[in-house]
Amino acid sequence: MRGVPAALSSAGGISLSVSGLTKRCSKTLSFSRHHIPSPTCFSTNSSPGDSSASKPWLLVGLGNPGKSYQGTRHNVGFEMINAIAEAEGISVTNIHCKALLGKGCIGDVPVMLAKPQTFMNLSGESVGSLVSYFKIPLNQVLLMYDDLDLPFAKLRLLPKGGHGGQNGMRSVINHLKGSRDFPRLRIGIGRPPGKMDPAVFVLKPFTKKEREEMDFTLQRGVEAVRILLLHGFNKSASFVNTPRPSELLN
């Protein structure tokens, strides 16, 4: 699957311009309350010398920026972030490390929601920078993205794996120094009909019926993320990966 590449880098750091605004991701950038307020949960459950306890989860949805790509199959990762943000009351409007970023809590667990603005094929430029800048452990980096090889509107939660031909994931793995050891939530968009080019299919909008079904799947994804953060990977994987009764009848 192909995204639309764009060059959004500059010397001495990484920059992103969105609607006339430019923010940089460098070692000297101050990630202050002025940029993204820190919810109370970011300072809880930590103790002296225990750096991992206060590390937030980084939830990343992959997609292409711009109105022309909204509502397309390739952007369900962005839509999943939007659904989580709406459900948890998190604003994803700040710009950092080539991504739209928001900070909040799911229960008492600190989270950051990110939508890379590099276009799909270069997603790793943003994700790699975010992981490095905030020193997020890879087992707390959840990638959410569209998958041609899953039936439409099906979800699959995995603890690690390859890119499966998804160019955004290929870029992410490359920018994480080849590591594949991070969880991912795959969102099925199905195979293209007939002989349609997959690169064309992923940029097609949903039909009305598909839209309704995908919206239901996104809400199921929100619940899966809550279970993951509050109760652990195994319980969330069981919730996501176990076929529902309606699926067993198909």
Side-chain angles (χ1 to χ4, degrees), residues 68-119:
S68 61
Y69 297 104
Q70 291 179 4
T72 63
R73 299 166 194 274
H74 221 15
N75 271 36
V76 292
F78 277 10
E79 292 191 11
M80 184 63 77
I81 289 292
N82 292 343
I84 296 169
E86 181 177 0
E88 303 298 339
I90 300 173
S91 175
V92 186
T93 55
N94 297 280
I95 303 169
H96 194 75
C97 292
K98 292 187 177 183
L100 289 174
L101 195 68
K103 213 175 190 183
C105 307
I106 295 180
D108 60 356
V109 178
V111 297
M112 292 189 293
L113 308 182
K115 296 191 291 185
Q117 300 295 289
T118 56
F119 289 92

Side-chain angles (χ1 to χ4, degrees), residues 107-229:
D108 60 356
V109 178
V111 297
M112 292 189 293
L113 308 182
K115 296 191 291 185
Q117 300 295 289
T118 56
F119 289 92
M120 180 66 80
N121 289 2
L122 303 178
S123 297
E125 294 183 6
S126 173
V127 177
S129 296
L130 287 168
V131 170
S132 176
Y133 186 84
F134 294 110
K135 297 180 173 58
I136 307 295
L138 288 188
N139 64 353
Q140 289 181 213
V141 179
L142 176 67
L143 269 289
M144 297 171 281
Y145 58 96
D146 60 295
D147 195 317
L148 281 164
D149 294 325
L150 270 184
F152 181 78
K154 298 298 186 291
L155 297 174
R156 186 72 69 239
L157 180 65
L158 299 172
K160 59 183 179 179
H163 53 71
Q166 216 276 7
N167 284 339
M169 284 294 287
R170 190 194 308 271
S171 175
V172 170
I173 290 172
N174 286 343
H175 282 80
L176 294 179
K177 300 179 180 179
S179 177
R180 304 179 177 190
D181 297 334
F182 54 90
R184 68 281 313 274
L185 182 64
R186 297 160 53 198
I187 307 166
I189 60 171
R191 300 297 304 180
K195 297 182 179 180
M196 182 183 292
D197 185 343
V200 174
F201 177 68
V202 298
L203 298 180
K204 292 284 188 181
F206 299 110
T207 65
K208 182 179 180 181
K209 181 179 179 180
E210 288 175 334
R211 180 73 268 171
E212 293 174 353
E213 190 172 355
M214 183 56 70
D215 286 345
F216 178 83
T217 294
L218 294 175
Q219 292 308 309
R220 184 172 168 82
V222 170
E223 185 60 25
V225 169
R226 285 176 176 150
I227 296 172
L228 172 64
L229 270 59

